[in-house]
Amino acid sequence: MINDRTKTWLGWAAGVALIVLSRLPYVSEGTAVLDGDEAILALMSKHLSEGQPLELFFYGQNFGVTLVENVNAALFFILLGVSTTTLKIATLSLWIMGWSFFLFGTRRLTDTNTALIASLLLLTCSAWILWSTLARGYHVGGFMLFQLCFWQFAWLYKSDSLPEVDYSRFVWLGLSVGLLFLTQKLWFISFLPFLAIVLWRRKSLQETLIMTVCLIAVATLPQFFPGTSSQYWNPEYLREMNPILAAMALPERIWTFFSGVYSYSTRMDSNVFAKTAATAWCLALIISSTILGKRLRTGPERSLSAAIIASGLVIMGATLFISPPLFGYRYLLPIASLCCLSFALCIPNRPEHAKNTGSIPTIVATTTIVLTLSALGILATGSSKNFRAPTAFNPTTISPQESIDQLIRDLEAQGIHHVYSLDAMLQWNIIFSSQESITARWSDPKDRRPEYPLRVDQALFAGESTAIVGTAELMESFTAFLGSRNIQAQPIYAAGDRYFWLLNPSQELLQAVGFELNPDSMKTSPH
């Protein structure tokens, strides 16, 4: 008979294989596609892999430390080369690390069967299947660090009766929690209930002091790094907040979140699998929360139940105070692993929770529920269209990445290495996918990296060939705008079935469509 340790490792290996297989459409060459934020992180990692100085913050921001994602992707770029697929593989590897910490941390807290059930639910949860490959928003890095802290919490939680514990464990916990604080504040506050529980149970002033000092030391790390040259994005999340309106919208937000079919704050069209998965996960959340709530008084795991419930409430409560225009469904991501853990804890697969744990009906019911939730998660995301891909002019078999590569080839064939993008995010994809052979800019004259808009404007004033580029969805409105202004321009060319470009726009045309040119460009032009 297989012992628990062997069963755990076999489950881990099977889980990793299933993660890779279920994410292939979002990672493999030809189908992987980056959005603008991912392309920015890709550029950061490319620069780091080339020996440029490490920058803690996401370009153009003074918050959101990207240390974990940035260093991890840079290492993969060095090993496998700079590409979209490499970035996706690097991001997925980071998520697999977090998932592994979740599996082994849950096993420390409970038992092998519960850990395997919880980890299977997490890796197939529709809220995470796509997001586990998205290198933006610091959520994959936050997830990995949260689970690293959770894994350390599990050991300390189970050893609270031991009088002598190596203080180095609290050093590592403090460093991990400090890095989590820098990476993503929502993931950080979601871990605070677990941290409070373990410190309260151990009741050691020395251990608490050691952990706090280490946490603060890491949290102040940005003070020793130079700031970015641009503060392009500095949203005021607490401005114009409306907690009552947000509370009324919370059920819909959670449902949409569990469907996995959303983009930023926009709910996308979902198919029957996504709708069914979202409903099933919401029911699982309600049922498990109710059972854990009862265990706060009578259950054998009161402290753990309290930490899980408090963590979920903290996340949901925090989102109520985010300004409605700035809310994103991704902010609910910490709830997914909490739901998987609590649901696995509530399934009667352990003697202390059910007298008939080993009975055939119980085993069949448990297996059916878990496999149904898992299948729905995979079907929901696997059958949904890739809503992040640029709109095509016509139905096409060309992948989004092949389409942007074709745009780059067309531009380079005309000797164009500087372009004006009508889309705020397309510019970053062009810069990264061309390996910076083409420099692009949006309407803002500074943006996240002021040197890029400056270079494009310098090329314009120096008489070099430039172009306006845009996505297919902007083609009609752009053409109509030109007609309404009676602007004479070069022909508009389609590229890769998803993009268009216009050769050598005039300064008047650029300003008419909203580009603010750098006033110093003519002075600093190399020609």
Side-chain angles (χ1 to χ4, degrees), residues 91 123 134 164 207 224 228 250 338 343 362 364 369 390 412 414 443 458:
T91 304
L123 73 88
L134 295 184
E164 297 295 334
E207 294 169 350
F224 302 96
T228 59
L250 189 58
L338 297 173
F343 193 70
T362 301
V364 171
I369 292 172
E412 290 180 334
Q414 296 294 323
S443 61
Q458 286 175 340

Side-chain angles (χ1 to χ4, degrees), residues 478-493:
F478 181 68
T479 304
F481 173 81
L482 294 179
S484 67
R485 295 295 185 93
N486 196 27
I487 297 176
Q488 299 297 319
Q490 298 288 338
I492 298 176
Y493 301 95

Side-chain angles (χ1 to χ4, degrees), residues 58-84:
F58 202 68
Y59 283 162
Q61 299 178 184
N62 60 0
F63 69 95
V65 171
T66 59
L67 182 64
V68 173
E69 290 101 329
N70 194 359
V71 173
N72 181 64
L75 291 174
F76 272 85
F77 281 168
I78 293 172
L79 293 173
L80 303 179
V82 178
S83 71
T84 294

Side-chain angles (χ1 to χ4, degrees), residues 21-59:
L21 289 174
S22 61
R23 273 67 170 181
L24 277 179
Y26 309 105
V27 174
S28 58
E29 187 72 35
T31 56
V33 58
L34 302 184
D35 63 21
D37 285 343
E38 290 181 285
I40 293 172
L41 180 66
L43 276 173
M44 294 182 68
S45 301
K46 174 180 179 292
H47 294 161
L48 182 60
S49 69
E50 293 169 344
Q52 296 188 32
L54 172 66
E55 294 197 33
L56 286 183
F57 296 110
F58 202 68
Y59 283 162

Side-chain angles (χ1 to χ4, degrees), residues 273-305:
F273 294 117
K275 293 176 180 177
T276 305
T279 303
W281 276 103
C282 285
L283 288 174
L285 178 62
I286 293 171
I287 293 171
S288 58
S289 298
T290 302
I291 295 175
L292 286 188
K294 292 181 178 180
R295 291 183 186 173
L296 292 178
R297 294 184 300 172
T298 60
E301 298 154 338
R302 299 179 190 177
S303 297
L304 179 59
S305 299

